[in-house]
């Protein structure tokens, strides 16, 4: 258990913290590079889902329809968490443009005052939007880290420690945690928050990974052969939604090209090689 907690701290807390640190040092990364990184991460996770999690569940004797049902239910749980994250963090597009503020009732001799007021309000509004964007991102990342942590715990329990499959999972999560940490710290520092506080917020958003890992480990260590196999199916379902509902859409929205598609394929191949390295 101590080893599991340590690797989830590295993956969640330090991974996001590293991204937050890079954010204040380099001021973020381009959408193109970010999209390629996300696509590569998605590819590694897809190979893990196909050739490790579901494959191991089948070898444990679970019938394919039951595997499909558990995958659907677990992915549905993440959909609910996703919805809760969106509803709790609010929407940044609710702000009214500053140019629309107090348009009526201004006499000609107040035009200059209006322009100065608009400039101040616009600056404050922009800072507030950046603050909310950073907080929203941190909250969403924190919620999504719970099922990711459960996947780590379930696979760690099945393999009895740090295996090549666990390594692939950790690598995929760390790779996409870094851009998320960058996004959090850049938004918060642009809003006027102290740089190190922004890095701390990014790191703290990874704490739920530890909680999820402990839950997943407990399920994976349950008595009988069904417990670990069900945990693997659950991990597969949660990761499927993370990949196809979060990582790939973000990548495509930021930079849709053959490069991102090939990055996903390269990630898939890298994951397959690492997983295949422990097959006898």
């Amino acid at each position: 258990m101590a080893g599991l907690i340590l690797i989830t701290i590295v993956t969640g807390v330090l991974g996001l913290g590293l991204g937050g640190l890079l954010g204040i040092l380099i001021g973020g990364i381009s959408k193109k590079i970010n999209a390629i990184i996300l696509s590569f991460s998605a590819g590694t996770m897809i190979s893990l889902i196909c050739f490790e999690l579901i494959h191991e569940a089948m070898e444990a004797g679970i019938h394919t329809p039951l595997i499909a049902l558990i995958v659907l239910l677990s992915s549905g749980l993440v959909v609910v968490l996703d919805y809760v994250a969106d509803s709790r963090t609010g929407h940044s597009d609710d702000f009214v443009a500053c140019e629309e503020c107090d348009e009526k009732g201004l006499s000609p001799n107040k035009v200059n005052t209006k322009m100065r007021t608009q400039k101040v309000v616009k600056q404050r509004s922009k800072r507030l939007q950046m603050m909310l964007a950073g907080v929203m991102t941190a909250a969403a990342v924190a919620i999504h880290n719970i099922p990711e942590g459960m996947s780590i715990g379930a696979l760690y329990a099945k393999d009895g420690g740090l295996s090549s499959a666990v390594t692939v999972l950790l690598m995929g999560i760390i790779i996409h945690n870094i851009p998320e940490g960058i996004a959090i710290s850049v938004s918060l520092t642009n809003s006027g928050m102290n740089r190190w506080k922004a890095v701390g917020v990014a790191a703290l958003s990874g704490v739920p990974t530890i909680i999820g890992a402990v839950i997943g480990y407990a399920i994976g260590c349950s008595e009988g052969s069904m417990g670990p196999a069900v945990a693997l199916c659950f991990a597969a379902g949660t990761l499927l939604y993370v990949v196809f509902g979060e990582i790939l859409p973000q990548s495509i929205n930021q930079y849709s090209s053959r490069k991102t598609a090939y990055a996903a394929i390269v990630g898939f191949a890298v994951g397959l090689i690492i997983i295949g390295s422990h097959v006898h």
Side-chain angles (χ1 to χ4, degrees):
M1 178 65 76
L4 173 63
I5 292 176
L6 178 61
I7 63 174
T8 49
I9 289 174
V10 172
T11 305
V13 178
L14 294 186
L16 285 159
L18 176 60
L21 182 61
L22 290 175
I24 66 172
L25 292 177
I26 65 178
I29 56 178
S30 68
K31 289 185 176 180
K32 177 179 178 180
I33 298 300
N34 191 29
I36 291 174
I37 291 173
L38 290 174
S39 292
F40 179 88
S41 171
T44 61
M45 289 189 178
I46 292 172
S47 65
L48 174 73
I49 294 166
C50 295
F51 300 111
E52 182 67 26
L53 300 179
I54 294 178
H55 175 71
E56 289 291 336
M58 288 180 173
E59 287 196 340
I62 297 184
H63 297 297
T64 304
L66 181 57
I67 292 175
L69 178 61
I70 297 172
V71 167
L72 289 173
L73 291 176
S74 57
S75 60
L77 175 61
V78 188
V79 172
V80 173
L81 291 174
D82 201 25
Y83 174 79
V84 170
D86 290 341
S87 62
R88 289 290 185 272
T89 53
H91 302 280
S92 60
D93 58 359
D94 288 338
F95 287 97
V96 178
C98 293
E99 289 75 11
E100 299 174 10
C101 299
D102 199 21
E103 283 291 335
K104 298 181 180 180
L106 290 176
S107 59
N109 63 349
K110 294 184 179 179
V111 171
N112 290 335
T113 302
K114 174 191 172 185
M115 292 177 64
R116 288 195 298 269
T117 302
Q118 282 186 347
K119 184 176 180 180
V120 173
V121 172
K122 193 170 185 178
Q123 290 175 345
R124 289 177 178 174
S125 177
K126 184 177 180 181
R127 285 190 174 187
L128 180 59
Q129 290 184 36
M130 294 303 295
M131 173 69 76
L132 288 176
V135 172
M136 288 164 57
T137 303
V141 169
I143 293 174
H144 293 153
N145 277 339
I146 295 175
E148 289 182 4
M150 292 177 72
S151 302
I152 297 173
L155 192 56
Y156 189 92
K158 192 273 296 183
D159 290 345
L162 185 62
S163 63
S164 57
V166 176
T167 301
V168 172
L169 178 56
L170 297 177
M171 181 176 69
I173 293 175
I174 289 174
I175 288 172
H176 86 263
N177 271 351
I178 291 176
E180 289 177 345
I182 291 174
I184 293 170
S185 67
V186 169
S187 297
L188 293 177
T189 53
N190 286 341
S191 72
M193 180 180 285
N194 176 276
R195 294 188 303 169
W196 297 112
K197 286 184 179 179
V199 174
V201 171
L204 285 175
S205 63
V207 171
T209 309
I210 305 171
I211 300 172
V214 173
I215 297 172
Y217 183 81
I219 297 173
C221 290
S222 58
E223 294 293 332
S225 60
M226 285 293 291
V230 170
L232 293 176
C233 295
F234 184 89
T238 57
L239 289 180
L240 276 174
Y241 181 79
V242 169
V243 169
F244 292 105
E246 297 292 334
I247 300 177
L248 286 178
Q250 288 179 30
S251 174
I252 294 170
N253 285 336
Q254 294 184 47
Y255 183 66
S256 179
S257 76
R258 296 184 182 89
K259 293 178 182 178
T260 52
Y262 195 67
I265 296 171
V266 171
F268 183 88
V270 169
L272 179 59
I273 292 171
I274 296 175
I275 292 170
S277 65
H278 81 293
V279 177
H280 299 293

